[in-house]
Amino acid sequence: MWVNPEEVLLASALWMTERANPYFVLQKRKGHGAGGGGLAGLLVGTLDVVLDSSARVAPYRILYQTPDSLAYWTIAHGSSRREVTEHWEWLEHHLLQTLSIFDNENDITTFVKGKIQGIIAEYNKNHDIKEDDDTDKFKESIAKFRKLFSMPDEEKLVNCYSCTYWKGRVPRQGWLYLSINHLCFYSYLLGKEAKLVVRWADVTQLEKCATLLLPDMVRVCTRCSEHVFSVFLNVSETFKLMEQLANIAMRQLLDNKTFEQDRSLPRLKKKSPKKVSALKRDLDARAKSERYRALFRLPKDEKLDGHTDCTLWTPFNKTHILGRMFVSTNYICFTSKEETVCSLIIPLREVTIVEKADSSNVLPSPLSISTKNRMTFLFANLKDRDFLVQRISDFLQQTSSKIHLEFTGSLNSSYDEVGGTPTSCTAVLVTAVSLGSDESERQFNLNDNSVPTATQALMTMYRRRSPEEFNPKLAKEFLKEQAWKNHFAEFGQGVCMYRTEKTKDLVLHGIPENMRGELWLLFSGAINEVATHPGYYQDLVEKSMGKYNLATEEIERDLHRSLPEHPAFQNEMGIAALRRVLTAYAFRNPNIGYCQAMNIVTSVLLLYAKEEEAFWLLVALCERMLPDYYNTRVVGALVDQGVFEELARVHVPQLYDCMQDLGVISTISLSWFLTLFLSVMPFESAVVVVDCFFYEGIKVIFQLALSVLNANVHQLLSCKDDGEAMTVLGRYLDSVTNKDSPLPPIPHLHSLLADDGERHPEVDILKLVHGSYEKFGSIRADVIEQMRFKQRLKVIQTIEDTTKRNVVRTIVTETAFSIDELEELYSLFKAEHLTSCYWGSTSSPTDRHDPSLPYLDQYRMDLEQFKGLFGVLFPWAGGVHSDSLALRFFRLLDQNADALINFREFIVSSDLGVLCHGDLTEKLKLLYKMHLLPELHHEQDEPDSAFEATQYFFEDITPETSHVKRVQTPDYRTYLRLWNQETRSTSENMKDLPKLSQGQFIELCKTLYNMFSEDPNEQELYHATATVTSLLLEMGEVGKLFCSTCSKEDGDERPPLHGTKQQGLQPEPFHASAGQPRDEPRDEPPDAAETSTVSAPMEDIKLEDSSPKDNGTSSAMLISDDETKDDTSVSSYSVLSAGSHELDDKLQCEDIMEDTVLVRSSEPLPHSASVDKDWAITFEQFLASVLTEHALVRYFEKPVDIAACIANAKNVRKVGEAHVSVSDYEISLSG
């Protein structure tokens, strides 16, 4: 290809000149191709790989040089000699003569450069090549990646790194290529080549480790292999990227979330020396945004725009705190260098003034931000203040425009420009908030009118005071409220509050009952969604109520089990509110829908928050704070269970082995984590845990769980089984009390059901929480996230393995395959599905993979995917009609006509076991049934009439003399029903199969001829097929004549054709024009007029050399009158086929064979100009005819080695197709 001219200093270094003229030089890289230069060539090839030279991809190049200059310019390079020779010849014919007329060498150089650049620009214009975000250097890496590993254009490379791969004890220096779906490695050292491809979806373990010899090492494990990489220049960056890509793959396995690149990132300069792809920058931005959202509990669609170091003036202690400012689309956030000192969240919807203050030596580059609640925040030491202010200004404008769109009746915005920033948008923002609050107070009652609707937190309506109105508990509660009010006065109130160590201390001492709902909203971040989504919940409730699905059924079943001991849920008002919140969330997030334990958590949220606020708290809980906890397979809870086990091994090692032996951790962790201890602790104690959880996140739950184990070490060590251990832990948790709670104790359901054993001494929840912070407070959130990633790989792959085992166990009794063979086939089936998700398919991945479905239906395959596996697994695939045969197979399997097949249909319904392990009759029966279905002409480029198909066999038929009437194409499921019952029975009756029309028979013959295209005995099989074809054609003619005779004798008195008693005598209900069925039902008598029309042409039929008249026989020789009247399914066709050996002389099969078009005989059979709709054969005739030819018998009786087919399918990679093998995950060495 032509390239923009680049100067080359040493033209002869490592290159060999093959052609030259005064202005141009064609060179080949040393070590490339045959006779690659011996040792020097090997060294050059090794250097190209190690140094990442582009010559590895383009070993040919053309240089431009003026006669009197030593400077060379690269103007073209090519991956093959043919490509570069075309460019060379073009230069000789179009440029060489022109250059000779120039006098100045500088003019020649300018002309050549301009000409080459013009060619490139014209090529890009003609081929519609759009400028992308990748640098030129990275494009070279993409070209190498696709060439080395035969990847299609859809596979996006993210980055590549130089590293060493350890194959046993042998290190191989090369390049690690990380793409969206694969990890690839390539090495070439002294003639030895090594390639490795690992699919991210198959990774079971990914960890960074160190040894004495290899301090920085990355280990990648799959189910069957382990790969070790080392000697990275930047191991941390590489490992983080690998983690991200593995996470994307796990997310795709979990809920079909495919990766979509963010095109909104700013572009790099094309000449940038950094080899960074747009995808790499996209993934880096995603990782930063994810950490940003988790740190400040922001909505999940918030994107970080940038961050900068600065200082924040804190009025509560009169100091400047060093930290970092984060700016995103809707928020300005700050956190101190020391995490617990101070953090701040300023929503742009609250901002009224942003202004630049005057700089001074004490306060350089200050920036003041004021909010509607009259708080002012002063930032200083900003490195690029002007740019930062401009970004904030842009985001403020976007925020105000959103408000205008949302509230069309609001006031117009008024801005005062100070330093290029909007300084006043108070009016608009205040209007928005007031409208939102009015909206939230809107009354709605979607239940029966007799059911009252709660408009406030249920606890305020059902608060039960103790008999003593002014007891010490109420005094403590009053002091708590005063402490929080003082805190608000000093640190601010609402979302813009300064959050410090003092805030944390107040939370640990318990939040007052009156403030709990407000502070839960604040600390969870749900307050932001409440403010930005006015009316959303009410609309969702209106849409969801009255609709029923599986989720609503489960919700109704669990409503009365949700905190039944609390009076708020002992009446219809509380139950109705709980129903609305759970149903609304199930409709908001169908991927989760409803999961048990959500009802318990939601009921507690409703006690302390209004209905809409409880909904947004539930959103924050399910989608951000406890990700994947409440999906159908509680993956998040299982992941945190694994994290908890790992933490227990580190922090309570003396108890870990005992707990593992008893299997207690897996039991307790799910119940503790899913309900945040609400189901195992007394209510007034558990809400303190929820307080801490909303402030600190999941680390509080881990700390508390470890504290419970640590407090019961001695009792647990003496337990003999899991039941005894659970009893110990249950009694301990029942004894946890909240002595400061002003509420009367609510009977705890778990304690009511417990045995009457000795109670554990009371444990104060506040002391337990403080103790957990003292002993296990060192657990960091980022460490938990790292452990979660490791456990997520293990959990999701375990779920996938469980799914595979369950599927195999379900169908192993229905097929002849062994368990190992079925597992291999399932892996291929799943791999084909995943590949189509990566590289495109005709159907949506969501349609083909639904984890909520039963095991057998979780992975499904469409036609395009099936064609890929059909070509490598099915022994009949091959030839030009392989896709046509695959289509027939697919339609045979797709009995519900949803254009998708599951694994059971792929294995059992497809009779793949029959093809590999069945006998000749079963294989022929399958081949026969495949051709019973009508053609789908709009899907294929097949002949659209049976006449055209007939020309395949007969040359003398001309389109001018024939006219074929088209009929309406019926649903092919009609034909599936004809033999659906017999496929389910253990013993199949071949006589129950429908007959084959002439058009279908022609398609069957096409299939036979194409099946043998690559067989060693190809000619013998063709000869045998021609014999069988001719024999069956004559049988059909004889049967047609007999049907015509019967029609004349019976006339209009022919009885109705019911069942299969006279199946051999009636016209087959397949229309001949396209091998399709007639419109009338099978068991209805044909119309009299139609009967005469059909019978009329039959009178003229003459059979050459084999008609009853010519041979002195009558139709009675073929079938007797007694047999005709007998109640039997044996037809005239079956009698003929049964006596086919005796009738060889009469039918003269060897002559008929020579008359077929397949051997291009000049004497065709005397058939009519169109395919005859009364011509038909039965399966018995087809089977008997095939049995007459030993070559065909040997072919169909030949056993198929499914293990070899599977191995072949694993090793085949079709370049450019959405098809990848599974075995590419193993290393391949050559040389």
Side-chain angles (χ1 to χ4, degrees):
M1 60 181 292
W2 301 106
V3 296
N4 286 313
E6 293 184 7
E7 190 171 3
V8 177
L9 297 179
L10 298 174
S12 301
L14 308 181
W15 292 85
M16 298 182 295
T17 299
E18 292 198 338
R19 293 188 186 183
N21 59 44
Y23 295 100
F24 302 106
V25 179
L26 191 155
Q27 294 182 326
K28 184 181 79 169
R29 187 72 166 178
K30 289 182 179 179
H32 176 76
L39 181 60
L42 294 177
L43 290 173
V44 172
T46 302
L47 284 174
D48 286 342
V49 172
V50 173
L51 301 179
D52 196 26
S53 169
S54 59
R56 192 69 189 165
V57 176
Y60 296 93
R61 71 179 182 182
I62 298 176
L63 302 179
Y64 158 74
Q65 181 205 24
T66 55
D68 298 331
S69 173
L70 296 178
Y72 290 83
W73 299 82
T74 305
I75 60 173
H77 59 65
S79 58
S80 65
R81 186 184 299 275
R82 178 181 177 182
E83 179 185 0
V84 79
T85 301
E86 289 177 358
H87 291 344
W88 177 264
E89 292 175 350
W90 186 90
L91 291 171
E92 286 185 330
H93 288 94
H94 295 86
L95 277 190
L96 209 53
Q97 296 297 326
T98 306
L99 297 181
S100 61
I101 66 175
F102 286 91
D103 296 330
N104 190 336
E105 290 188 355
N106 291 333
D107 293 342
I108 297 176
T109 303
T110 303
F111 176 78
V112 171
K113 287 183 179 180
K115 189 69 174 177
I116 299 301
Q117 290 170 350
I119 293 173
I120 295 173
E122 185 67 21
Y123 177 85
N124 292 344
K125 179 181 178 181
N126 294 337
H127 292 77
D128 195 25
I129 297 177
K130 298 179 181 179
E131 186 177 2
D132 55 25
D133 297 336
D134 290 331
T135 62
D136 292 334
K137 184 63 177 173
F138 189 75
K139 286 181 179 179
E140 292 181 5
S141 299
I142 294 175
K144 294 175 198 171
F145 168 69
R146 289 177 180 162
K147 180 179 179 182
L148 292 172
F149 304 103
S150 302
M151 292 291 180
D153 293 343
E154 292 86 355
E155 184 67 8
K156 303 298 184 183
L157 179 66
V158 180
N159 212 351
C160 55
Y161 300 93
S162 174
C163 70
T164 299
Y165 171 72
W166 290 83
K167 178 64 176 176
R169 296 184 179 181
V170 181
R172 294 185 176 274
Q173 182 66 30
W175 286 85
L176 182 69
Y177 294 86
L178 304 180
S179 69
I180 289 295
N181 304 303
H182 297 89
L183 175 152
C184 307
F185 177 81
Y186 179 79
S187 173
Y188 179 88
L189 293 177
L190 300 178
K192 289 191 176 291
E193 188 178 62
K195 285 185 183 180
L196 172 70
V197 180
V198 178
R199 197 196 305 267
W200 288 118
D202 290 332
V203 173
T204 58
Q205 187 176 357
L206 178 64
E207 60 180 352
K208 184 169 64 174
C209 47
T211 63
L212 187 61
L213 296 176
L214 300 172
D216 293 323
M217 191 168 61
V218 175
R219 179 181 289 111
V220 181
C221 299
T222 64
R223 290 176 177 83
C224 55
S225 59
E226 179 181 302
H227 310 287
V228 177
F229 304 92
S230 65
V231 196
F232 290 95
L233 294 178
N234 192 339
V235 67
S236 297
E237 176 190 335
T238 308
F239 185 71
K240 284 181 181 177
L241 180 56
M242 295 170 80
E243 277 187 326
Q244 272 188 286
L245 295 171
N247 253 328
I248 291 172
M250 295 304 106
R251 178 58 56 190
Q252 189 173 32
L253 287 176
L254 187 61
D255 54 16
N256 284 321
K257 285 190 177 179
T258 55
F259 178 82
E260 294 183 4
Q261 185 176 352
D262 185 1
R263 300 288 183 181
S264 62
L265 294 175
R267 291 187 174 186
L268 289 177
K269 295 180 180 179
K270 301 299 290 181
K271 298 296 183 181
S272 173
K274 290 193 68 176
K275 192 172 55 176
V276 179
S277 69
L279 272 177
K280 175 67 168 61
R281 294 189 295 122
D282 181 12
L283 290 173
D284 288 343
R286 288 174 188 239
K288 291 177 182 177
S289 294
E290 191 172 338
R291 289 194 294 269
Y292 167 65
R293 291 192 298 266
L295 181 60
F296 298 104
R297 307 280 171 77
L298 300 179
K300 60 181 182 180
D301 56 350
E302 191 68 18
K303 292 182 181 179
L304 177 65
D305 186 70
H307 57 78
T308 182
D309 292 336
C310 65
T311 59
L312 172 66
W313 169 254
T314 51
F316 52 86
N317 59 2
K318 306 295 188 295
T319 59
H320 292 279
I321 296 178
L322 181 63
R324 177 170 290 179
M325 175 194 285
F326 300 85
V327 179
S328 61
T329 313
N330 300 293
Y331 298 89
I332 299 172
C333 302
F334 174 87
T335 184
S336 58
K337 289 291 185 184
E338 297 180 25
E339 281 185 20
T340 57
V341 174
C342 181
S343 67
L344 181 67
I345 302 172
I346 308 174
L348 293 183
R349 65 179 183 272
E350 298 287 331
V351 173
T352 58
I353 300 174
V354 178
E355 60 181 346
K356 294 184 287 187
D358 295 332
S359 294
S360 66
N361 293 331
V362 179
L363 204 64
S365 302
L367 179 67
S368 173
I369 300 176
S370 300
T371 61
K372 289 188 304 183
N373 59 356
R374 299 182 181 180
M375 293 183 70
T376 300
F377 304 96
L378 186 60
F379 298 92
N381 291 283
L382 294 164
K383 294 180 180 178
D384 196 347
R385 184 178 60 169
D386 292 339
F387 177 76
L388 177 64
V389 169
Q390 183 59 46
R391 294 301 293 167
I392 295 174
S393 172
D394 294 340
F395 292 140
L396 277 171
Q397 290 177 358
Q398 294 175 17
T399 303
S400 63
S401 65
K402 289 178 186 176
I403 295 172
H404 279 293
L405 289 174
E406 204 164 336
F407 307 103
T408 55
S410 63
L411 300 176
N412 290 329
S413 174
S414 60
Y415 289 99
D416 294 330
E417 296 293 333
V418 178
T421 63
T423 59
S424 178
C425 52
T426 309
V428 177
L429 294 170
V430 171
T431 303
V433 173
S434 64
L435 286 172
S437 60
D438 291 342
E439 187 77 16
S440 65
E441 294 296 332
R442 188 178 72 185
Q443 296 288 327
F444 63 97
N445 184 5
L446 301 172
N447 295 306
D448 185 64
N449 292 331
S450 61
V451 180
T453 302
T455 58
Q456 54 187 331
L458 294 177
M459 185 65 80
T460 61
M461 303 175 64
Y462 293 95
R463 180 170 295 162
R464 299 185 302 172
R465 294 288 184 183
S466 297
E468 309 160 11
E469 194 61 34
F470 297 100
N471 57 19
K473 291 185 177 180
L474 287 177
K476 281 189 176 181
E477 187 74 3
F478 177 76
L479 291 176
K480 280 185 187 178
E481 291 180 7
Q482 285 301 118
W484 275 98
K485 289 177 181 177
N486 294 336
H487 184 79
F488 293 151
E490 184 178 1
F491 296 89
Q493 186 172 5
V495 69
C496 298
M497 177 179 69
Y498 291 99
R499 307 177 194 212
T500 65
E501 190 70 25
K502 189 173 180 181
T503 312
K504 177 180 175 181
D505 291 338
L506 286 174
V507 172
L508 294 184
H509 283 87
I511 297 176
E513 294 284 327
N514 292 337
M515 298 180 176
R516 189 160 268 143
E518 173 192 348
L519 292 175
W520 282 1
L521 282 170
L522 179 65
F523 296 142
S524 67
I527 190 172
N528 295 311
E529 280 127 331
V530 173
T532 56
H533 294 78
Y536 174 86
Y537 172 68
Q538 286 84 348
D539 294 339
L540 198 59
V541 169
E542 291 173 2
K543 292 176 183 177
S544 62
M545 294 304 288
K547 296 182 180 179
Y548 298 96
N549 53 28
L550 181 60
T552 57
E553 290 179 10
E554 293 177 351
I555 289 170
E556 290 297 327
R557 193 163 52 244
D558 287 347
L559 284 176
H560 294 278
R561 306 175 189 172
S562 309
L563 221 62
E565 62 271 21
H566 198 284
F569 297 100
Q570 294 171 359
N571 61 78
E572 191 56 36
M573 181 184 290
I575 294 296
L578 182 60
R579 177 187 292 114
R580 286 193 292 269
V581 173
L582 290 174
T583 305
Y585 185 78
F587 276 80
R588 167 188 164 87
N589 192 342
N591 290 332
I592 291 178
Y594 171 76
C595 174
Q596 285 188 337
M598 286 173 68
N599 59 322
I600 297 174
V601 175
T602 307
S603 61
V604 175
L605 299 179
L606 280 167
L607 289 176
Y608 292 101
K610 297 178 183 178
E611 196 171 307
E612 182 178 8
E613 296 170 344
F615 169 79
W616 288 114
L617 281 170
L618 182 63
V619 170
L621 200 71
C622 295
E623 298 177 9
R624 291 190 279 110
M625 303 189 72
L626 296 176
D628 302 322
Y629 257 60
Y630 300 106
N631 59 22
T632 53
R633 295 182 284 188
V634 292
V635 172
L638 293 174
V639 168
D640 281 350
Q641 174 186 305
V643 173
F644 181 53
E645 289 185 12
E646 200 168 337
L647 291 172
R649 181 173 56 81
V650 174
H651 294 282
V652 282
Q654 70 275 25
L655 191 60
Y656 177 75
D657 291 336
C658 172
M659 297 294 283
Q660 286 295 97
D661 294 339
L662 296 176
V664 173
I665 290 182
S666 60
T667 306
I668 61 175
S669 56
L670 282 180
S671 60
W672 293 2
F673 296 165
L674 278 171
T675 63
L676 304 176
F677 286 92
L678 288 167
S679 64
V680 293
M681 270 189 192
F683 172 77
E684 61 273 10
S685 303
V687 289
V688 176
V689 178
V690 180
D691 293 342
C692 300
F693 169 76
F694 277 127
Y695 186 80
E696 287 270 57
I698 192 64
K699 64 168 287 187
V700 173
I701 306 299
F702 287 127
Q703 289 174 186
L704 196 63
L706 290 171
S707 294
V708 172
L709 293 183
N710 189 62
N712 294 276
V713 168
H714 300 297
Q715 296 92 320
L716 291 172
L717 287 174
S718 61
C719 292
K720 298 180 176 59
D721 55 39
D722 57 342
E724 188 177 351
M726 292 299 296
T727 302
V728 169
L729 293 173
R731 286 176 179 169
Y732 180 84
L733 291 171
D734 287 337
S735 68
V736 177
T737 59
N738 185 359
K739 297 178 180 179
D740 294 341
S741 174
L743 301 177
I746 299 174
H748 184 224
L749 187 61
H750 183 271
S751 61
L752 293 175
L753 298 175
D755 57 12
D756 298 329
E758 183 181 353
R759 290 184 57 83
H760 192 282
E762 287 189 354
V763 179
D764 186 11
I765 182 61
L766 297 179
K767 290 182 179 179
L768 182 62
V769 170
H770 279 281
S772 71
Y773 272 89
E774 290 173 2
K775 293 179 182 177
F776 308 108
S778 60
I779 299 174
R780 294 170 52 89
D782 56 345
V783 175
I784 290 176
E785 285 304 315
Q786 182 67 34
M787 297 167 72
R788 274 179 164 177
F789 164 74
K790 180 180 176 182
Q791 295 298 326
R792 191 177 295 114
L793 288 178
K794 187 184 299 182
V795 167
I796 293 180
Q797 297 293 12
T798 300
I799 290 174
E800 292 294 309
D801 291 340
T802 302
T803 301
K804 179 171 69 174
R805 286 195 298 270
N806 288 335
V807 169
V808 169
R809 189 183 304 117
T810 302
I811 66 173
V812 68
T813 58
E814 303 177 42
T815 180
F817 292 121
S818 66
I819 291 180
D820 292 339
E821 290 172 341
L822 285 174
E823 289 184 348
E824 291 286 352
L825 289 168
Y826 181 84
S827 297
L828 285 174
F829 189 89
K830 175 183 167 184
E832 193 68 30
H833 163 81
L834 292 175
T835 303
S836 69
C837 293
Y838 304 156
W839 299 337
S841 177
T842 55
S843 57
S844 167
T846 308
D847 295 335
R848 290 178 279 109
H849 179 212
D850 186 353
S852 64
L853 291 175
Y855 289 119
L856 278 172
D857 291 324
Q858 285 187 12
Y859 288 106
R860 290 176 290 180
M861 181 179 289
D862 62 18
L863 175 60
E864 292 303 315
Q865 297 170 277
F866 179 77
K867 285 180 180 179
L869 280 186
F870 181 82
V872 292
L873 279 182
F874 287 71
W876 292 348
V880 295
H881 284 73
S882 180
D883 284 352
S884 173
L885 193 61
L887 173 62
R888 292 182 178 279
F889 246 114
F890 187 84
R891 292 167 60 206
L892 191 67
L893 309 183
D894 186 20
Q895 298 188 19
N896 59 358
D898 62 352
L900 297 170
I901 59 172
N902 60 29
F903 186 65
R904 179 199 289 274
E905 292 170 331
F906 178 71
I907 296 296
V908 179
S909 300
S910 71
D911 289 328
L912 183 58
V914 168
L915 292 180
C916 300
H917 303 291
D919 58 22
L920 178 139
T921 304
E922 291 175 324
K923 292 179 181 178
L924 292 177
K925 192 181 299 179
L926 177 62
L927 183 63
Y928 183 89
K929 289 192 292 188
M930 285 169 53
H931 293 80
L932 287 173
L933 301 178
E935 286 296 316
L936 291 179
H937 300 298
H938 63 278
E939 291 185 8
Q940 296 190 66
D941 295 329
E942 295 291 321
D944 59 356
S945 70
F947 157 68
E948 296 179 26
T950 309
Q951 284 186 304
Y952 188 88
F953 295 100
F954 308 111
E955 282 185 323
D956 64 326
I957 300 176
T958 57
E960 292 79 2
T961 60
S962 64
H963 176 72
V964 181
K965 182 181 178 181
R966 308 249 339 164
V967 296
Q968 181 181 359
T969 305
D971 191 342
Y972 65 85
R973 285 176 290 180
T974 305
Y975 293 89
L976 290 169
R977 295 191 192 102
L978 293 177
W979 50 269
N980 186 39
Q981 295 300 324
E982 52 88 12
T983 55
R984 296 180 181 179
S985 61
T986 53
S987 58
E988 185 179 47
N989 187 354
M990 65 179 67
K991 296 177 182 178
D992 293 336
L993 291 173
K995 288 183 285 186
L996 212 61
S997 70
Q998 192 175 52
Q1000 294 165 335
F1001 169 71
I1002 291 170
E1003 293 300 321
L1004 173 61
C1005 294
K1006 286 185 184 180
T1007 300
L1008 283 172
Y1009 275 91
N1010 281 283
M1011 284 169 57
F1012 312 136
S1013 60
E1014 299 177 2
D1015 194 275
N1017 302 318
E1018 183 178 346
Q1019 291 302 320
E1020 185 181 2
L1021 288 168
Y1022 282 157
H1023 184 83
T1025 303
T1027 304
V1028 170
T1029 301
S1030 302
L1031 180 60
L1032 288 171
L1033 284 170
E1034 287 301 321
M1035 289 181 183
E1037 292 295 338
V1038 172
K1040 185 181 70 173
L1041 178 65
F1042 182 69
C1043 285
S1044 176
T1045 305
C1046 292
S1047 298
K1048 282 196 232 179
E1049 292 175 357
D1050 294 343
D1052 293 336
E1053 298 177 1
R1054 184 168 58 177
L1057 304 174
H1058 292 289
T1060 57
K1061 293 182 179 181
Q1062 296 183 357
Q1063 187 176 0
L1065 306 179
Q1066 66 186 32
E1068 181 63 22
F1070 285 90
H1071 199 286
S1073 64
Q1076 295 169 347
R1078 294 182 182 177
D1079 291 340
E1080 68 267 9
R1082 181 180 180 86
D1083 55 355
E1084 292 180 9
D1087 188 72
E1090 182 183 331
T1091 304
S1092 60
T1093 304
V1094 171
S1095 302
M1098 294 185 180
E1099 298 175 4
D1100 300 325
I1101 293 178
K1102 303 292 183 182
L1103 287 182
E1104 185 179 31
D1105 298 332
S1106 59
S1107 64
K1109 179 180 176 181
D1110 293 342
N1111 289 290
T1113 60
S1114 66
S1115 59
M1117 295 180 60
L1118 298 176
I1119 182 166
S1120 65
D1121 291 337
D1122 293 335
E1123 288 174 327
T1124 305
K1125 299 174 183 178
D1126 190 24
D1127 186 15
T1128 177
S1129 61
V1130 178
S1131 67
S1132 60
Y1133 308 144
S1134 62
V1135 173
L1136 178 61
S1137 63
S1140 58
H1141 290 291
E1142 291 78 14
L1143 293 175
D1144 276 349
D1145 295 334
K1146 296 178 182 179
L1147 293 176
Q1148 298 181 359
C1149 292
E1150 63 279 2
D1151 296 332
I1152 295 171
M1153 179 188 69
E1154 295 299 321
D1155 286 338
T1156 63
V1157 75
L1158 296 167
V1159 291
R1160 297 292 186 250
S1161 171
S1162 60
E1163 295 183 12
L1165 288 174
H1167 285 270
S1168 60
S1170 63
V1171 175
D1172 208 323
K1173 60 184 178 181
D1174 288 302
W1175 189 101
I1177 61 169
T1178 64
F1179 172 70
E1180 296 155 291
Q1181 293 172 311
F1182 174 62
L1183 174 62
S1185 301
V1186 171
L1187 289 174
T1188 62
E1189 294 296 327
H1190 296 295
L1192 290 175
V1193 171
R1194 287 195 302 271
Y1195 178 84
F1196 284 105
E1197 285 186 340
K1198 181 172 58 177
V1200 176
D1201 185 2
I1202 189 61
C1205 292
I1206 293 173
N1208 177 58
K1210 286 182 175 182
N1211 290 319
V1212 168
R1213 178 189 291 275
K1214 295 185 178 180
V1215 180
E1217 294 185 13
H1219 194 282
V1220 71
S1221 69
V1222 185
S1223 79
D1224 292 334
Y1225 312 136
E1226 297 305 322
I1227 192 75
S1228 60
L1229 301 175
S1230 62

